[in-house]
Amino acid sequence: MAASCVRTVGSFLGKCMTCSSSINTVATQVLLSRQVCVSSALCRKNLAAAGPEKFTLEYIQKQVEEYEIGKRYLANMMGEDPENFTQEDIDRSITYLFPSGLFEKTARPLMKHPDEIFPKQRAVQWGADGRPFHFLFYTGKQSYYSLMHDLYGKILKIEKHQDRLRAKGLFSQDAELIHFWDDLEGRRKTSDSSLILRDCGSGHITVNGQDYLQYFPVLQDREQLMFPLQFMGVLGRFNLECKVSGGGRSSQAGALRLAISRALLSFLSEGDGEAMRQAGLLTPDPRVRERKKPGQEGARRKFTWKKR
Amino acid sequence: WYAIALQTSLLSFVCRVFLVRWSRYNPYYLEPEVSKEAYSRPETELSAEEKEQRELKALRPIKAATSGVSSSVFDDPVISKFINMMMEHGNKVLAREIMTQTLENIKKKQVEKYHKASEGEREAIECNPYTIFHQALENCKPVVGLASIQKGGKYYQVPIPLTDNRRRFLAMKWMITECRDNKHRRTHMYEKLSQELLAAFGKEGNVMKKKYELHKMAEANRAYAHYRWW
């Protein structure tokens, strides 16, 4: 327990009371004296609540000036040109002038620009009246939403430009739209797949360099590949170049199906995308092999029950 | 070892209460609708509940479509179910092969009959193996089933109505067990299956016999029908 210093205000009053002969001194003492308990725990500053140390702008500016002057001084000391004194030269000079045998590199003497030493502070986001500076402050993610906003503005400008070109008759439609993803796009059990979808094709499908008829001899797997294309009615329109690895034949087909559906999204309208989602083409299948549990023969099968 | 086995069996009994019928999906997820026609119908054709269903589907997440279904015209949910039931040890390739051979065999037999028949009979002969399959299965489906209900220390066989799924399952199960058990060692499965399906299409054969027997039993136990409380 913290030692509490009890200061009785008006304790001298009580003493006076005891001096003068009055009845119920204890009662009057209680009435008149006001006990103010101040524990040392309260005096201690709450360091955790204060947050990271804050430095004023003037202080950091002073540090920067001192650093610049010190840099020139160091250059003169080392006999080098103070104008072209880089940070590497500073480090070299410091290690020469203050050789330290400490193993902990961060404990050795260092001289760096104050911006690197003092933690960057978050600039105050609102003015003196409490109104925030950024117009999207109240969204919570102002940089994200402002980026999206700028992006949309750029898209509108591009479309306007497109319309102008079309009006002049300079806009041609025969640009080949390539949907290209290099990262893994479809997953099922332990298979991963990625693919390149090319528009204005003839319906060729290549899987890992082989023709899809050769790679998937089973009809069911080829049906799964064709499922999203047939559902959207674009069977002969796209050329597919697929890469798939891991898992078995059925899970590879499932992974490719998911990848194809995701790739098709960028070529189709929103209503079609919604139809694909409701057909279950865009959900990654979460079913994986259930582990075997101890005390059982398999994931679900128990050992033969013996009565005794 | 006996003590451990007892403990684990107790544990497994405890766990079974809430783990035995789980699925990897959150129960919030809805079943996918794979057919293309369901999405091309305009707003005006739908009834109120279908509209509600559509709105619900727009808001809820949907499960992934399994690898056995697709939107192609050749995909039949009944036939897929039958193939899955025929499958042993996960050998879907073999089961599917048997199914295709069965349908081919049915078609061959029917076309032979068609060419041999006279002009008047030709219209009556059904050549489409899919319709034959569906009709045969329909003919095999029992209307009522029997449930073993305990009353006053004895177990009575009480006739109960069956759900559609249960009826379909029983018809398929009888068909498959019949073809597996009562066939000659040398006949192929597809051969026997095609024979049974054609017989069921004509409302004869062992599977139909089984169905009639079940119906007779249910008729005989009609007196106990009031034992059913649901």
Side-chain angles (χ1 to χ4, degrees):
Chain A
M1 278 290 253
S4 47
C5 39
V6 179
R7 279 189 278 124
T8 38
V9 171
S11 55
F12 66 93
L13 253 168
K15 282 201 195 117
C16 292
M17 285 298 182
T18 43
C19 289
S20 57
S21 54
S22 58
I23 330 142
N24 303 341
T25 36
V26 177
T28 38
Q29 244 178 4
V30 164
L31 278 171
L32 287 171
S33 62
R34 202 160 44 91
Q35 276 198 345
V36 178
C37 292
V38 178
S39 63
S40 56
L42 291 170
C43 290
R44 254 185 273 133
K45 278 188 259 190
N46 193 348
L47 294 166
E53 228 178 316
K54 290 189 181 55
F55 302 98
T56 52
L57 215 60
E58 299 90 24
Y59 176 77
I60 293 189
Q61 270 172 354
K62 205 160 70 85
Q63 295 292 315
V64 172
E65 281 164 20
E66 282 183 7
Y67 171 78
E68 294 298 327
I69 295 167
K71 201 166 91 168
R72 297 184 73 89
Y73 193 37
L74 190 62
N76 284 327
M77 257 204 293
M78 298 299 288
E80 304 213 18
D81 181 19
E83 300 298 325
N84 304 337
F85 208 52
T86 59
Q87 186 59 46
E88 289 161 6
D89 298 328
I90 296 178
D91 294 331
R92 210 172 14 91
S93 327
I94 295 289
T95 42
Y96 172 71
L97 291 170
F98 304 101
S100 153
L102 295 173
F103 287 113
E104 181 68 50
K105 298 267 167 57
T106 45
R108 293 183 183 178
L110 75 92
M111 179 170 166
K112 289 222 185 295
H113 194 86
D115 280 341
E116 292 169 38
I117 298 175
F118 293 101
K120 283 262 180 328
Q121 329 234 37
R122 276 194 56 183
V124 145
Q125 316 238 340
W126 48 85
D129 54 352
R131 186 164 178 264
F133 293 133
H134 202 281
F135 73 108
L136 288 172
F137 174 78
Y138 285 113
T139 56
K141 301 178 202 166
Q142 45 178 302
S143 28
Y144 171 74
Y145 284 110
S146 71
L147 180 71
M148 301 300 277
H149 182 75
D150 295 335
L151 205 67
Y152 186 62
K154 288 208 195 300
I155 289 174
L156 288 176
K157 280 204 195 131
I158 290 174
E159 285 184 352
K160 240 197 241 177
H161 184 67
Q162 223 177 48
D163 291 333
R164 263 184 267 132
L165 285 180
R166 213 173 281 157
K168 285 193 203 155
L170 297 170
F171 188 73
S172 51
Q173 269 280 5
D174 53 4
E176 192 190 85
L177 289 164
I178 298 178
H179 176 94
F180 185 90
W181 289 114
D182 236 354
D183 60 349
L184 301 164
E185 246 208 87
R187 256 186 250 259
R188 171 92 216 272
K189 279 193 191 175
T190 40
S191 309
D192 302 307
S193 71
S194 65
L195 59 95
I196 301 174
L197 202 67
R198 290 196 174 86
D199 202 355
C200 312
S202 51
H204 284 307
I205 304 181
T206 318
V207 185
N208 282 358
Q210 295 176 353
D211 190 36
Y212 73 117
L213 198 56
Q214 215 185 349
Y215 194 82
F216 289 123
V218 180
L219 178 65
Q220 186 189 312
D221 304 334
R222 276 174 280 147
E223 261 179 8
Q224 288 298 292
L225 280 193
M226 285 199 302
F227 183 7
L229 303 171
Q230 198 270 343
F231 187 76
M232 293 284 96
V234 292
L235 268 176
R237 195 171 125 189
F238 294 98
N239 275 353
L240 291 154
E241 200 182 300
C242 322
K243 264 190 278 222
V244 70
S245 63
R249 55 148 244 267
S250 189
S251 62
Q252 280 184 349
L256 273 178
R257 186 188 87 183
L258 183 62
I260 293 173
S261 332
R262 282 189 180 159
L264 273 184
L265 273 182
S266 45
F267 286 95
L268 302 166
S269 62
E270 233 186 64
D272 290 336
E274 179 60 25
M276 275 221 284
R277 185 193 75 96
Q278 289 191 10
L281 282 167
L282 295 175
T283 331
D285 207 323
R287 301 177 292 170
V288 289
R289 190 176 151 267
E290 205 175 307
R291 69 159 279 199
K292 176 198 169 320
K293 282 108 193 171
Q296 294 177 2
E297 189 161 330
R300 298 283 172 107
R301 172 161 164 77
K302 321 284 181 284
F303 289 124
T304 324
W305 184 75
K306 293 197 180 68
K307 201 163 174 183
R308 48 187 69 87
Chain B
W1 171 241
Y2 160 76
I4 297 167
L6 191 67
Q7 271 172 15
T8 45
S9 65
L10 283 173
L11 242 180
S12 54
F13 170 75
V14 165
C15 292
R16 265 177 77 82
V17 175
F18 50 85
L19 280 182
V20 78
R21 247 198 295 267
W22 71 354
S23 105
R24 287 288 302 190
Y25 291 105
N26 193 321
Y28 208 56
Y29 279 63
L30 300 173
E31 296 295 325
E33 172 63 57
V34 178
S35 67
K36 259 163 87 166
E37 294 80 34
Y39 298 104
S40 52
R41 290 169 70 190
E43 282 282 327
T44 46
E45 273 186 27
L46 306 171
S47 65
E49 37 193 48
E50 278 178 338
K51 278 201 185 92
E52 256 182 65
Q53 191 68 12
R54 256 204 195 179
E55 274 167 32
L56 187 66
K57 281 213 148 180
L59 299 169
R60 291 267 199 100
I62 313 268
K63 295 186 191 176
T66 42
S67 46
V69 300
S70 77
S71 65
S72 100
V73 289
F74 305 109
D75 181 62
D76 194 354
V78 185
I79 296 217
S80 306
K81 206 35 115 190
F82 195 75
I83 291 173
N84 282 342
M85 286 186 70
M86 255 203 310
M87 173 167 65
E88 270 180 348
H89 307 298
N91 200 346
K92 183 83 149 239
V93 178
L94 186 61
R96 206 172 163 143
E97 189 63 38
I98 294 173
M99 193 69 218
T100 39
Q101 282 171 342
T102 312
L103 295 169
E104 204 185 303
N105 211 317
I106 292 176
K107 178 88 187 219
K108 269 194 203 155
K109 286 187 186 162
Q110 290 297 91
V111 168
E112 223 180 283
K113 230 165 83 171
Y114 183 86
H115 286 304
K116 280 198 195 141
S118 59
E119 272 304 319
E121 290 165 25
R122 277 195 177 179
E123 281 135 21
I125 295 177
E126 177 62 55
C127 278
N128 189 351
Y130 292 95
T131 38
I132 291 181
F133 179 80
H134 286 128
Q135 190 54 47
L137 221 56
E138 272 298 322
N139 294 348
C140 288
K141 283 187 191 174
V143 175
V144 289
L146 290 172
S148 194
I149 293 182
Q150 190 191 22
K151 187 123 175 154
K154 263 173 73 176
Y155 285 90
Y156 297 98
Q157 293 294 317
V158 177
I160 53 161
L162 297 171
T163 59
D164 249 344
N165 279 340
R166 179 77 186 154
R167 295 167 63 205
R168 195 184 56 187
F169 170 78
L170 280 174
M172 292 203 234
K173 184 100 184 161
W174 288 341
M175 184 68 74
I176 293 170
T177 35
E178 162 65 40
C179 293
R180 277 185 188 156
D181 301 339
N182 300 351
K183 80 174 168 76
H184 182 60
R185 183 181 65 85
R186 296 277 291 183
T187 45
H188 291 280
M189 179 73 172
Y190 67 83
E191 180 64 49
K192 176 74 180 165
L193 241 186
S194 53
Q195 282 169 12
E196 276 302 324
L197 282 169
L198 283 169
F201 182 68
K203 300 213 176 136
E204 45 202 36
N206 285 341
V207 193
M208 297 299 296
K209 215 166 69 169
K210 196 154 176 179
K211 173 185 134 178
Y212 291 138
E213 267 172 31
L214 181 65
H215 281 177
K216 269 185 232 162
M217 278 282 286
E219 186 61 40
N221 287 8
R222 239 176 83 164
Y224 304 124
H226 64 284
Y227 283 173
R228 179 175 67 96
W229 63 84
W230 63 87

